[in-house]
């Protein structure tokens, strides 16, 4: 019985991230529009977009290979598994030990690997430009991310997210310079990984500065729906990660009652909303960078993360 | 009873016998089948014996002494857990390479230049791992080098191959010289050449330091440590592809074996700073190797450079193991050494697979230059599928095997705050960052390798008519791809298999992994870190099929083929696609300016002129220019000066001899 309940909570977590992801993107768009004095599309517009894409026919390039048609599902699956492994409203779920933070980063790496390949499959210049820029950004963002993971693991003594969240929520952690550095670095990495301003503009098309949209330019219909959903999931994943590590309060421990689970979900949605507003405000306040300024931006994240880690190696209390 | 070593030595003798027979029959048509078939059988048997030796009693060490070699010591051979593991790697590689050779060998224009040396090369590698005294070790090492040199020179008429063979010979001799000196130091003034005597001796700190440096030069040059790697990207691609696979996937591992044998086994307790040296070289090698690979447009050279990166990753883990061992942290040392050995196994899987794939591409198109390939996924679907598996594995992406060893290495790095020395405390996180950087760059590199070669549209007519390769080659590649996946989803099996090795070298092992629920791997404790490749694989499979099912059940099925979007410009030529060089351009601009002093020059004709615009990229091989060119220049200068001596008259020669004799006599007379 207990096992069934635990599996149900695990399943609820998987469905929750899937259902909330488009809403978060819609929310960020709405807040951004309001900050720019526009009305903005409705909150549920991303769901409508997904449904519309699914109903449309697929226009496939003549020389697209089987890989091109399989990749959307692979990207979606890898991102979904990664997103479901991050504690959202509860820690210590049944399968939370399946992968630690390093593996979650690597799962996202797999998704990106295949997305970059998809960009190159049809053999147009757009796909190539997107893929080559994506791997350039990733080659800086991934080491920064792993150094952040090192810092967190050194503070918490674990790379297991449930343990990390539990330690971060405990009073003995307190304010630390290294954690502050890691947080800034993680935010920068999250902006880059999610193709947000100032690294990339998720709302643009046919502009030579674009990265993510250039790779998926040839996708249409149901394939595009899968890729869009994976992108929504990725944003949710990073927001959940930041909130579970740096604002870990309100997380329910495993095997709590249904009431505390419900409370946990409400708190989680509150955190998502807060992070969404901050993201929208940041994106409104800043302009997009030229593509070769991005390495400087990510280099700052890399340096901050490395400094944070070194500080921790020098002294465990900094 | 006949000991296991004796059985293995019979196997080596069988390899050598095959080589001799191959000399006689290699010009016959059936020779290819015969030689590769026999090497396949011998390797498979040797693999089985070695695997049995590994899983057997960890304390079981069997030795054999043959009355060969130096008359007063004989030739000693020994099988322990370490050599058994490396024999598994060598003979597994030999088995699949022979299987691949059954098909691939038929395309060889001059089989007599390859067939005799292939079994000899396998024999040499086996002998190095079995050797138990310095003389046998060096002799086998040199035999291995020479056999592989002959294979590098198999296509000696091709451009650059003779240069590759020459540089390989020079570097191999240099490496053997360093090894000779290292063993000389270990043997001490009494000349105890057996490994047992060296193990028992307590070398002084100076001798230990000098041995470490000499081993880094000797084994490191064979493995491809920066800055001794220069021969590797020339020699490995020059050989036929199944030999390239053996050289990159297996022979570099034999070099790693030599390093581990001497540093971990014979030298006794390491000093803490030896970890710093090895970590630094490993980190440097990993990042530089993969940056070189990214700049490369020749597919096989790209793979060879990526081998350098993987050697760097292995040496980083070995450096960690040394640091932990020196500080009496046996469980962390066991973790780091397991990571290194796991990566040794993984790299032998996927690098062989990738070289086989490159060989298949070479057979089908006659082309190694990625700028002329493209679109092969349509013509060679099976090859492209297994090549993709290899690319995903080598990029350290879950749920494949490359990720597991990287993950173990990261877990070992996270143990390092407990190290007492400041040098290590600062070094380890920095090297961890380098390791992460090299992993990310490796993913970029293999997106490029697969994307440019197999995706997009064909860039030349030969590619458009490519045919899928023969079934032997495909079978070899599919076996390796399956092994990549298996080692990735059942890592606990491999880790437990490696425990006798860490027990014998460190005296400790990782916790038993196969006893964990759901086949997870847990290096220390579950609350710290755990990873379950099987479940990750199952979850991805389930969610991907679920998504596909839902889409195909509820979404529209309509599908229309149309031309790709080329900004409204119809019929874009395939030459307009991204190429290997253009793909790497952003990374070259970020990293290349300091690593390669890369410069881009754009020549734009003035408006109205019809001259084409040109973009030239200038890349410097910094290592070659700083280390090797001065040496080569000095040697050339000296030879030119000494060359005058060749053209003297007889009178001048006699004068020279006379003066020399007088000088010698003076020295003798004045010597106290």
């Amino acid at each position: 019985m207990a096992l069934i309940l635990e599996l149900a909570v695990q399943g609820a977590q998987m469905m929750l991230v899937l259902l909330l992801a488009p809403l978060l993107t819609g929310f960020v768009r709405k807040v951004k529009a309001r900050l720019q004095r526009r009305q903005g599309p409705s909150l549920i517009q991303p769901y409508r977009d997904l449904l519309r894409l699914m109903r449309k026919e697929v226009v496939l390039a003549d020389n697209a290979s089987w890989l091109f048609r399989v990749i959307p599902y692979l990207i979606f699956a890898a991102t979904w598994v990664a997103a479901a492994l991050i504690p959202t409203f509860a820690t210590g779920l049944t399968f939370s030990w399946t992968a630690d933070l390093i593996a979650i980063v690597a799962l996202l790496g797999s998704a990106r690997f295949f997305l970059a390949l998809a960009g190159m499959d049809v053999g147009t210049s757009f796909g190539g430009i997107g893929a080559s820029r994506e791997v350039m950004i990733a080659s800086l963002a991934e080491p920064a991310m792993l150094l952040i993971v090192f810092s967190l693991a050194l503070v918490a003594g674990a790379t297991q997210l449930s343990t990390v969240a539990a330690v971060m929520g405990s009073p003995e952690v307190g304010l630390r310079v290294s954690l502050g550095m890691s947080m800034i670095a993680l935010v920068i990495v999250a902006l880059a990984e999610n193709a947000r301003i100032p690294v990339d503009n998720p709302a643009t098309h046919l502009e030579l500065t674009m990265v993510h949209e250039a790779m998926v330019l040839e996708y249409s219909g149901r394939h595009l729906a899968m890729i869009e959903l994976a992108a929504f999931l990725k944003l949710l994943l990073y927001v959940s990660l930041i909130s579970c590590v740096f604002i870990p309060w309100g997380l329910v421990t495993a095997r709590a009652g249904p009431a505390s689970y419900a409370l946990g979900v409400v708190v989680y949605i509150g955190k998502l909303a807060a992070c969404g507003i901050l993201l929208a405000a940041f994106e409104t306040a800043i302009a997009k960078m030229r593509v070769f300024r991005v390495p400087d931006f990510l280099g700052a994240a890399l340096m901050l993360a490395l400094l944070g880690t070194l500080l921790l190696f020098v002294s465990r209390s900094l | 009873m006949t000991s296991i070593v004796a059985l293995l030595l019979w196997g080596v003798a069988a390899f050598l016998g095959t080589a001799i027979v191959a000399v006689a029959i290699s010009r016959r048509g059936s020779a290819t089948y015969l030689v590769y078939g026999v090497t396949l059988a011998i390797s498979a048997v040797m693999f089985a014996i070695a695997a049995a030796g590994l899983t057997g009693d960890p304390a079981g060490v069997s030795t054999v002494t043959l009355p060969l070699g130096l008359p007063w010591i004989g030739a000693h051979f020994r099988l322990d857990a370490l050599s058994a593991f490396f024999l598994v790697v060598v003979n597994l590689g030999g088995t699949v390479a022979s299987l691949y050779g059954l098909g691939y060998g038929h395309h060889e224009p001059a089989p007599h230049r390859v067939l005799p040396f292939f079994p000899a090369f396998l024999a040499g590698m086996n002998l190095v791992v079995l050797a138990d005294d310095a003389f046998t070790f060096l002799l086998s090492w040199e035999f291995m080098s020479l056999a592989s040199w002959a294979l590098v020179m198999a296509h000696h008429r091709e451009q650059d191959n003779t240069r590759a063979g020459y540089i390989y010979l020079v570097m191999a001799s240099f490496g053997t010289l360093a090894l000779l000196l290292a063993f000389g130091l270990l043997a001490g003034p009494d000349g105890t050449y057996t490994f047992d005597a060296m193990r028992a001796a307590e070398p002084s700190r100076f001798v230990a330091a000098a041995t470490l440096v000499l081993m880094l030069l000797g084994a490191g040059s064979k493995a491809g440590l920066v800055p001794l790697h220069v021969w590797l990207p020339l020699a490995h691609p020059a050989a036929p592809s199944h030999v390239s696979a053996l050289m990159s996937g297996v022979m570099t591992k034999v070099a790693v074996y030599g390093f581990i044998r001497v540093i971990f086994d014979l030298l006794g307790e390491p000093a803490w700073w030896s970890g710093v040296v090895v970590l630094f070289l490993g980190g440097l090698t990993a990042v530089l190797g993969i940056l070189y690979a990214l700049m490369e447009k020749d597919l096989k050279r790209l793979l060879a450079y990526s081998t350098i990166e993987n050697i760097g990753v292995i040496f980083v883990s070995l450096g960690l193991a040394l640091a932990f061992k020196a500080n009496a942290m046996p469980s962390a040392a066991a973790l780091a050494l397991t990571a290194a050995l796991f990566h040794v196994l993984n790299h032998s899987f996927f690098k062989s697979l990738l070289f086989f794939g490159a060989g298949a591409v070479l057979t089908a198109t006659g082309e190694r230059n990625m700028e002329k390939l493209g679109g092969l996924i349509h013509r060679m679907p099976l090859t492209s599928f297994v090549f993709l598996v290899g690319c995903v594995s080598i990029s350290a992406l879950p749920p494949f095997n490359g990720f597991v060893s990287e993950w173990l290495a990261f877990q070992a790095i996270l143990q390092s705050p407990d190290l007492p020395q400041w040098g290590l405390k600062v070094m380890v996180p920095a090297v961890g960052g380098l390791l992460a950087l090299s992993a990310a760059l490796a993913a970029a590199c293999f997106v490029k390798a697969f994307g440019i070669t197999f995706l997009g549209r064909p860039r030349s007519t030969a590619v458009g008519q490519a045919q899928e390769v023969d079934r032997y080659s495909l079978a070899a590649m599919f076996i390796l791809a399956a092994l990549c996946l298996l080692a990735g989803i059942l890592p606990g099996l491999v880790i437990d298999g490696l425990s006798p090795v860490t027990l014998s070298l460190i005296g400790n092992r990782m916790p038993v992994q196969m006893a964990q629920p759901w086949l997870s791997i847990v290096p220390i404790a579950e609350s710290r870190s755990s990873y379950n490749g099987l479940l990750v694989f199952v979850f991805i499979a389930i969610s991907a099929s679920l998504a596909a099912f839902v889409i195909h059940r509820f979404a529209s099925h309509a599908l229309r083929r149309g031309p790709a979007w080329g900004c409204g410009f119809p019929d874009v030529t395939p030459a307009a696609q991204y190429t290997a060089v253009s793909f790497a351009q952003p990374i070259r601009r970020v990293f290349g300016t300091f690593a390669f002093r890369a410069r881009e020059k754009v020549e734009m004709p003035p408006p109205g002129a019809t001259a084409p615009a040109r973009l030239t990229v200038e890349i410097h091989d910094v290592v070659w220019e700083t280390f090797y060119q001065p040496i080569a220049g000095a040697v050339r200068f000296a030879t030119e000066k000494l060359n005058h001596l060749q053209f003297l008259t007889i009178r001048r020669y006699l004068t020279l001899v006379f003066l020399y004799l007088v000088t010698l006599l003076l020295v003798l007379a004045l010597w106290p």
Side-chain angles (χ1 to χ4, degrees):
Chain A
M1 190 58 209
L3 181 70
I4 294 175
L5 188 68
E6 280 175 20
L7 285 177
V9 175
Q10 182 80 47
Q13 148 104 338
M14 289 198 85
M15 292 320 291
L16 184 75
V17 292
L18 193 60
L19 290 177
L20 278 183
L23 187 65
L24 177 65
T25 305
F27 179 71
V28 173
R29 283 182 192 160
K30 184 78 178 175
V31 174
K32 223 166 128 178
R34 298 299 302 166
L35 285 173
Q36 295 166 349
R37 303 230 165 176
R38 288 187 287 116
Q39 187 60 44
S42 123
L43 273 181
I44 57 163
Q45 190 59 39
Y47 297 98
R48 288 191 197 139
D49 288 347
L50 287 178
L51 281 177
R52 185 188 45 136
L53 281 174
M54 288 204 197
R55 281 202 292 267
K56 285 202 168 229
E57 82 173 336
V58 172
V59 182
L60 206 59
D62 286 324
N63 65 329
S65 66
W66 59 268
L67 198 59
F68 191 75
R69 302 173 66 173
V70 172
I71 280 175
Y73 303 104
L74 284 180
I75 293 173
F76 168 73
T79 318
W80 193 21
V81 171
L85 285 170
I86 289 186
T88 52
F89 62 92
T91 57
L93 293 182
T94 319
F95 288 116
S96 63
W97 42 263
T98 301
D100 63 352
L101 194 43
I102 298 175
I104 289 169
V105 174
L107 269 175
L108 290 177
S110 308
R112 177 177 36 236
F113 184 89
F114 282 109
L115 188 60
L117 283 185
M120 303 177 76
D121 187 66
V122 175
T124 60
S125 313
F126 272 116
I129 204 171
S132 88
R133 286 175 174 179
E134 175 84 2
V135 297
M136 183 265 282
I137 292 172
S139 71
L140 288 161
E142 243 186 44
M145 185 70 196
L146 275 169
L147 285 170
I148 297 164
V149 175
F150 285 178
S151 299
L152 296 179
L154 290 175
V155 172
T159 50
Q160 209 64 296
L161 265 176
S162 290
T163 318
V164 173
V167 172
M168 296 302 240
S170 63
E172 73 257 26
V173 172
L175 285 174
R176 293 184 188 218
V177 186
S178 54
L179 283 183
M181 290 176 166
S182 312
M183 190 169 81
I184 299 171
L186 183 55
V187 169
I188 294 178
V189 169
L191 289 173
E193 289 275 358
N194 285 295
R196 310 299 301 193
I197 292 174
V199 173
D200 190 5
N201 189 347
T204 182
H205 263 297
L206 293 188
E207 192 194 331
L208 280 177
T209 52
M210 65 190 182
V211 180
H212 179 264
E213 292 299 320
M215 279 188 289
V216 303
L217 196 62
E218 281 295 328
Y219 274 114
S220 53
R222 53 181 189 265
H223 297 150
L224 186 58
M226 283 282 102
I227 286 183
E228 294 271 297
L229 188 52
F232 298 157
L233 269 170
K234 199 169 170 185
L235 181 63
L236 181 94
L237 181 155
Y238 271 95
V239 172
S240 320
L241 178 63
I242 291 172
S243 58
C244 118
V245 173
F246 293 107
I247 24 177
W249 303 284
L251 276 173
V252 184
T253 44
R255 285 175 277 288
S260 31
Y261 276 135
L263 186 67
V265 173
V266 172
V267 172
Y268 172 62
I269 293 177
K271 286 186 206 168
L272 286 187
C275 291
I277 291 171
L278 284 177
L279 174 63
F282 178 76
E283 285 202 308
T284 314
I286 197 164
K288 191 185 156 336
M289 287 178 176
R290 283 195 312 125
V291 86
F292 283 107
R293 286 282 307 284
V294 171
D296 300 341
F297 184 61
L298 283 168
L302 196 61
M303 275 303 119
L304 280 173
L306 183 62
L307 275 178
T309 318
L310 279 174
L311 276 180
L312 282 169
F313 266 85
V314 172
S315 159
R316 300 297 275 274
S317 61
L318 277 173
Chain B
M1 89 177 201
T2 323
S3 69
I4 298 184
V5 183
L7 276 178
L8 290 168
L9 286 176
W10 278 114
V12 172
F15 275 131
L16 292 174
T18 316
I20 292 165
V21 174
V23 175
I25 62 163
S26 60
R27 280 168 203 276
R28 289 199 206 151
S30 58
T32 303
Y33 273 126
L34 203 65
V35 171
Y36 289 119
V38 172
T39 51
L40 173 66
I42 303 171
S43 307
V45 172
M46 299 267 286
F47 165 70
I49 298 173
L54 186 64
T55 53
D57 179 17
V61 172
S62 65
T63 53
V64 154
T65 310
L66 295 182
L68 299 168
L70 292 184
W72 61 94
I73 45 175
H76 297 256
F77 298 96
R78 180 168 184 267
L79 185 83
D80 57 6
L82 179 65
S83 42
F85 168 67
F86 277 91
L87 282 178
V88 164
V89 173
V90 168
N91 288 305
L92 192 62
T95 311
V96 282
S98 307
L99 180 60
Y100 185 82
L102 275 177
Y104 184 78
H106 280 286
H107 307 290
E108 209 50 57
H112 57 278
R113 304 185 67 94
V114 176
L115 287 180
F117 298 110
F118 184 79
F121 181 39
L122 286 173
M125 290 196 288
N126 274 303
L127 275 178
V128 172
V129 181
L130 281 171
D132 195 32
D133 65 82
F135 183 75
T136 317
F137 185 92
L138 286 172
L139 205 65
S140 319
W141 184 277
E142 204 57 7
F143 185 72
M144 170 181 88
S145 297
L146 285 177
S148 55
W149 174 80
L151 289 164
V152 167
M153 297 297 286
H155 300 162
H156 65 123
R157 281 181 219 285
E158 268 172 41
Q159 218 181 351
D160 295 342
N161 279 10
T162 37
R163 177 163 174 265
Y166 174 68
I167 292 179
Y168 179 32
L169 208 56
V170 171
M171 290 301 289
S173 319
F174 167 74
T176 313
L177 176 71
L179 286 182
L180 185 71
L181 294 176
F183 281 121
L185 279 177
L186 280 172
D190 307 328
T192 45
Y193 287 108
T194 58
F195 283 179
D196 271 335
M198 290 177 187
R199 209 172 279 131
E202 290 280 319
S204 68
R205 281 170 62 193
F206 168 74
V207 168
T211 312
L212 177 74
V213 172
L214 287 170
M215 281 311 293
L216 281 173
L217 290 176
S221 71
K222 183 65 85 189
L225 272 187
V226 171
L228 301 163
H229 66 280
V230 284
W231 63 274
L232 194 147
L234 303 172
H236 286 197
S241 294
H242 54 310
V243 180
S244 304
L246 276 182
M247 289 180 76
S248 254
V250 179
M251 188 172 74
T252 53
K253 306 296 136 26
V254 175
V256 171
Y257 163 80
F259 184 78
I260 295 180
R261 172 62 79 196
V262 172
I263 300 301
F264 281 81
D265 189 11
L266 304 185
L267 205 52
E269 278 303 303
W272 68 269
W273 55 262
S274 58
V276 176
V277 176
V278 177
L279 272 172
F280 174 75
L281 283 176
L284 185 74
T285 304
V287 172
L288 269 184
I290 199 66
L291 278 176
Y292 276 116
L294 265 162
M295 302 299 124
E296 199 49 65
K297 53 188 174 186
D298 177 323
L299 186 56
K300 284 180 78 172
R301 286 186 59 156
L302 179 147
L303 294 177
Y305 274 124
S306 133
T307 296
I308 296 173
E309 184 236 339
N310 283 284
I311 289 297
V313 173
I314 292 169
F315 271 80
V316 164
S317 300
L318 287 178
L320 281 172
L322 276 177
F324 290 130
K325 195 183 174 197
N327 286 299
M329 295 164 67
S331 58
L335 173 59
L337 187 63
T338 309
L341 296 175
F342 203 144
H343 203 76
V344 163
L345 187 70
N346 285 343
H347 184 247
S348 80
F349 289 166
F350 45 62
K351 191 46 63 68
S352 301
L353 168 57
L354 290 170
F355 264 114
F356 290 168
V361 169
L362 189 59
T363 314
T365 63
E367 196 59 68
R368 271 165 42 182
N369 186 353
M370 287 193 276
E371 313 277 58
K372 292 185 182 151
L373 297 168
L376 281 173
I377 193 168
H378 302 286
R379 305 292 310 177
M380 305 169 75
L382 295 173
T383 305
S384 59
F385 177 73
V386 283
F387 199 88
L388 180 62
V389 171
C391 288
V392 175
S393 309
I394 202 170
S395 308
L397 299 176
F400 288 90
N401 59 352
F403 173 70
V404 184
S405 44
E406 292 247 4
W407 187 81
L408 288 174
F410 285 131
Q411 296 299 335
I413 286 173
L414 290 175
Q415 301 291 307
S416 57
D418 299 332
L419 289 169
Q421 293 91 2
W422 284 99
L424 281 170
K425 266 186 198 280
V426 176
M427 190 78 195
V428 172
V431 169
L434 287 181
L435 202 60
L437 179 62
S438 70
L441 289 172
C445 177
F446 283 92
V447 166
K448 178 182 110 169
F450 187 80
I452 304 288
T453 313
F454 289 95
L455 300 180
R457 284 167 293 159
R459 295 180 179 85
S460 61
T461 45
V463 179
Q465 288 144 13
Q467 294 290 323
E468 188 60 272
V469 286
D470 59 281
R471 59 182 190 277
Y472 294 111
S473 305
L474 284 174
M477 291 192 277
F478 268 92
I479 289 172
L480 286 173
L483 285 174
C484 283
L485 181 63
L486 275 180
I489 61 176
L490 297 173
L493 208 62
V494 181
I495 292 175
D496 285 350
L498 291 172
S499 59
V501 187
T502 54
L503 261 181
S504 71
L505 292 180
I506 305 226
N508 204 329
R509 55 167 292 170
M510 284 178 65
V512 178
Q513 305 293 329
M514 288 312 276
Q516 296 291 339
W518 299 85
L519 303 173
S520 300
I521 51 169
V522 178
I524 300 118
E526 192 184 297
S527 64
R528 281 190 71 111
S529 51
S530 60
Y531 166 71
N532 190 318
L534 182 63
L535 274 187
V536 166
F537 176 66
V538 168
F539 283 168
I540 291 179
I542 290 178
S543 43
S545 356
L546 198 66
F549 172 76
V550 168
I551 290 283
H552 284 263
R553 181 80 180 73
F554 298 106
S556 155
H557 286 270
L559 190 139
R560 178 159 54 91
R561 289 273 180 175
W565 168 242
C567 294
F569 189 74
D571 214 20
V572 189
T573 68
Q577 292 175 92
Y578 253 54
T579 58
V581 171
S582 51
F583 186 83
Q585 186 248 11
I587 290 181
R588 191 177 65 231
R589 282 185 64 164
V590 177
F591 297 101
T593 41
F594 64 87
F596 305 110
R597 286 190 263 133
R599 295 274 178 284
E600 266 177 30
K601 206 169 71 183
V602 183
E603 286 171 37
M604 278 298 234
T610 50
R614 281 188 196 288
L615 174 97
T616 35
V617 180
E618 189 189 340
I619 290 182
H620 295 272
D621 188 337
V622 180
V623 172
W624 182 261
E625 286 170 15
T626 2
F627 290 98
Y628 292 87
Q629 272 183 356
I631 297 176
V635 170
R636 178 163 304 147
F637 178 78
T639 45
E640 271 172 14
K641 291 293 165 202
L642 292 173
N643 204 19
H644 292 299
L645 294 178
Q646 203 186 336
F647 303 105
L648 301 184
T649 59
I650 191 79
R651 208 173 58 234
R652 285 179 176 169
Y653 277 126
L654 287 173
T655 321
L656 268 182
V657 170
F658 177 70
L659 284 176
Y660 184 62
L661 278 174
V662 168
T663 322
L664 272 185
L665 285 172
L666 269 177
V667 169
L668 271 182
L670 295 176
W671 198 265

